[in-house]
């Protein structure tokens, strides 16, 4: 099994030109040891609880008035004890100790270890590093390169793949990867330093927040390769690690499945960073709550309960920067001011489960909703209904026959939309004053489409990253498509002669292709497939 579940672009110039190698010093060893110890103690508590449950069940069985099967009691108790003595079962649950009587740990006795800042100073390393410059050059990221972060599951192993896309060279390659503890569901790029390196003087950073089936949010530094642990963890695990009181740690470590105001207790389904208030990160979860995180303190600032089912999508308004749009499996969408958690919020209802919500970046009074039934709704924030049942969209579009599992709005080119679906089709749309019209539909070979993202920079605004159930990431240069060039002729440079379509992947032979769309795959602009809601 291999699939790409989510992706995000990193703007040009945001990544460090020469990423750093992950280094372990005493402070980092202490931090990792604490995290590992907390995870180990959580596992022990879970095992203990399971054992207690088994013991209770056995006691119930023993007390039942059923017949007891006869057992062979011919061996004496002393003989049985002699056989079991070698296993020392009396101390089976005791922590192992070293020769000094100190408890062993994953990174035990690290204070007595000698380490050298450079391998050249280590007398035990006879093979010196001669390829440092070559390795440094291989890791170099140019100012004209884009990074793409893809959340991937491959052979039951969850990880992030960080790609570098070189547009001029039509080249896409994996720069490095990051191992994850659970299947990733969402990723969000951050430009503010978080965690252990947040005390540096640079106010900018290159980080990614990851939501998984676990209830914690992990934040990783994309400019550091070969990292073992995240820079920060937002959630119960992170709070336990920050606590200094051992009793408080133990209390916080107890896993609670009840929704609360401090952390999520179920899978993280979406993340949204605030572009204006860069220290704020919103998260939504399968526990039906929305949480606002303060990245400087790594703590939950506020929790909201606007929905009655899983909250699957979220987006900040670019103009009203405190307004967050959220969509849920309870078939409602809420636009709430995060500064007023106790006020009544406007709520819209759709006909099936919500898949995604997004604001129109070119007119922040409007927003899009995609649904499980394949519909796309376009709403005006200023026309909030008195009740959710009275919701009335400006227009709605039957984009696919299956769920619209991915959706994006081009932030550079007005009216340029993309939808992806479980039907394996990627469709590009042109939205004008008269309504939406499909420009092209194509199956680009990624299987069921789980993520479609436009590049954020004007120089590569027509580039579209697509991933899905086959585990392959494709970059589609939509400006090389004839129908797109005709629909957005004012935004693309004229070319002479025929233009081959660019589809860039990892494998030159199979994924890379420069083919033209078959006539049956292209659809010139037409007005079918959508319904205006303005007419009575």
């Amino acid at each position: 099994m291999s699939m790409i579940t989510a992706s995000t672009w990193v703007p040009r110039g945001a990544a460090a030109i020469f990423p750093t190698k992950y280094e372990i010093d005493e402070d980092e060893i202490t931090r990792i040891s604490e995290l590992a110890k907390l995870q180990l103690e959580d596992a022990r508590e879970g095992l203990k609880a399971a054992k207690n449950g088994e013991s209770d069940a056995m006691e119930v069985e023993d007390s039942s008035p059923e017949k007891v099967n006869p057992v062979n009691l011919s061996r004496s108790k002393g003989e049985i004890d002699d056989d079991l003595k070698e296993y020392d079962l009396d101390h089976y649950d005791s922590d192992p100790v070293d020769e000094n009587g100190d408890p062993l740990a994953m990174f035990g006795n690290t204070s007595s270890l000698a380490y050298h800042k450079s391998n050249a100073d280590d007398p035990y390393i006879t093979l010196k590093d001669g390829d440092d410059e070559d390795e440094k050059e291989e890791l170099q990221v140019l100012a004209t390169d884009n990074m793409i972060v893809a959340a991937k599951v491959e052979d039951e192993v969850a990880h992030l793949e960080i790609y570098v896309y070189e547009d001029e060279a039509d080249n896409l390659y994996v720069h490095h990867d990051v191992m994850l503890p659970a299947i990733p569901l969402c990723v969000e790029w951050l430009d503010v330093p978080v965690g252990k390196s947040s005390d540096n003087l640079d106010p900018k950073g290159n980080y990614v927040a990851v939501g998984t089936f676990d209830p914690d949010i992990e934040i990783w530094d994309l400019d550091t390769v070969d990292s073992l642990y995240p820079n920060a963890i937002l959630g119960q695990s992170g709070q336990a690690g920050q606590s200094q009181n051992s009793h408080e740690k133990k209390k916080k470590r107890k896993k609670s499945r009840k929704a609360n105001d401090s952390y999520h207790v179920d899978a993280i389904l979406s993340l949204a960073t605030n572009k204006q208030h860069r220290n704020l990160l919103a998260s939504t979860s399968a526990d039906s709550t929305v949480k606002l995180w303060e990245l400087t303190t790594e703590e939950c600032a506020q929790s909201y309960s606007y929905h009655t089912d899983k909250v699957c999508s979220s987006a900040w308004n670019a103009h009203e920067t405190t307004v967050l749009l959220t969509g849920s499996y309870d078939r409602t969408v809420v636009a709430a001011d995060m500064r007023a958690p106790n006020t009544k919020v406007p709520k819209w209802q759709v006909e099936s489960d919500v898949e995604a919500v997004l604001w129109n970046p070119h007119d922040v009074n409007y927003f899009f909703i995609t649904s499980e039934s394949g519909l796309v709704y376009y709403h005006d924030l200023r026309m909030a209904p008195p009740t959710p049942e009275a919701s009335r969209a400006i227009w709605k579009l039957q984009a696919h026959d299956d769920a619209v599992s991915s959706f994006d709005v081009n932030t550079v080119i007005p009216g340029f939309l993309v939808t992806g679906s479980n039907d394996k089709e990627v469709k590009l749309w042109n939205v004008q004053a008269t309504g939406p019209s499909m420009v092209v539909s194509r199956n680009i070979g990624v299987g069921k489409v789980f993520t479609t993202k436009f590049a954020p920079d004007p120089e590569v605004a027509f580039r579209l990253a697509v991933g899905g159930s086959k585990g392959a990431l494709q970059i589609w240069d939509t400006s090389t498509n004839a129908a797109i060039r005709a629909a957005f002729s004012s935004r693309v440079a004229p070319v002479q002669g025929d233009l081959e379509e660019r589809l860039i992947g990892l494998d030159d032979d199979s994924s890379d292709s420069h083919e033209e769309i078959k006539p049956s795959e292209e659809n010139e602009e037409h007005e079918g497939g959508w319904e205006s809601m303005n007419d009575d």
Side-chain angles (χ1 to χ4, degrees), residues 350-370:
V350 293
E351 300 167 15
S352 58
D353 292 357
V354 174
E355 289 285 338
V357 294
L358 271 181
W359 294 99
N360 184 346
H362 307 286
D363 191 337
V364 294
N365 291 314
Y366 298 89
F367 61 90
F368 300 89
I369 306 171
T370 70

Side-chain angles (χ1 to χ4, degrees), residues 285-316:
S285 171
D287 64 13
S288 304
T289 68
V290 178
K291 286 183 169 47
L292 187 62
W293 299 90
E294 171 58 66
L295 295 178
T296 54
T297 61
E298 303 172 28
E299 293 181 350
C300 180
Q302 189 68 48
S303 181
Y304 309 85
S305 300
Y306 297 129
H307 298 280
T308 59
D309 204 343
K310 299 177 180 67
V311 189
C312 59
S313 185
S314 56
W316 291 99

Side-chain angles (χ1 to χ4, degrees), residues 18-218:
F18 295 105
T20 59
K21 281 279 191 177
Y22 181 73
E23 294 183 358
I24 297 182
D25 53 19
E26 286 192 15
D27 292 339
E28 182 65 1
I29 288 174
T30 301
R31 189 178 76 93
I32 293 176
S33 298
E34 188 66 26
L35 287 173
K37 183 179 179 182
L38 290 169
Q39 294 171 357
L40 181 61
E41 291 178 355
D42 285 340
R44 283 177 176 167
E45 288 182 1
L47 181 60
K48 184 177 179 181
K51 285 183 176 179
N52 290 338
E54 289 180 4
S55 300
D56 295 341
M58 290 176 66
E59 289 177 3
V60 172
E61 290 179 4
D62 291 342
S63 63
S64 62
E66 296 179 358
K67 281 187 176 182
V68 179
N69 292 328
V71 295
N72 183 8
L73 300 177
S74 60
R75 299 180 64 192
S76 67
K77 185 175 183 298
E79 289 175 343
I80 296 175
D81 289 343
D82 289 339
D83 290 341
L84 298 178
K85 189 178 296 182
E86 62 177 300
Y87 299 106
D88 193 22
L89 295 180
D90 292 338
H91 302 91
Y92 181 78
D93 291 327
S94 301
D95 292 332
V97 296
D98 57 18
E99 61 274 9
N100 298 323
D102 296 325
L104 290 176
M106 182 178 293
F107 297 95
N109 297 325
T110 55
S111 59
S112 62
L113 295 178
Y115 61 91
H116 302 271
K117 188 172 183 180
S118 172
N119 287 341
D121 301 331
D122 193 334
Y124 294 99
I125 297 181
T126 57
L127 185 62
K128 302 301 180 182
D129 298 332
D131 299 329
D132 286 350
E133 290 301 321
D134 292 340
E135 185 178 6
K136 185 177 181 181
E137 184 176 349
E138 289 177 359
L139 293 175
Q140 183 178 9
V141 180
L142 302 178
T144 55
D145 294 340
N146 282 98
M147 272 188 172
I148 305 170
V149 182
K152 191 171 184 178
V153 182
E154 190 170 13
D155 297 329
E156 299 183 359
V157 176
H159 62 284
L160 295 179
E161 281 189 343
I162 293 86
Y163 297 82
V164 169
Y165 172 60
E166 300 172 334
D167 185 63
E168 294 182 359
D170 290 352
N171 187 27
L172 178 72
Y173 64 91
V174 178
H175 186 269
H176 65 282
D177 58 8
V178 173
M179 300 302 294
L180 297 174
I183 295 176
L185 301 175
C186 54
V187 290
E188 182 78 353
W189 181 71
L190 307 174
D191 66 347
V192 57
V194 184
K196 61 173 183 170
S197 59
S198 60
D199 55 350
N200 58 35
L201 299 178
D202 190 355
K204 292 284 188 177
N206 183 24
Y207 295 77
V208 65
V210 187
T212 69
F213 270 108
D214 286 346
D216 297 325
I217 302 167
E218 295 190 349

Side-chain angles (χ1 to χ4, degrees), residues 451-468:
T451 176
T452 51
K453 294 291 183 181
F454 284 112
D457 302 292
E459 300 87 350
V460 287
F462 281 95
R463 311 308 181 265
L464 178 67
V466 184

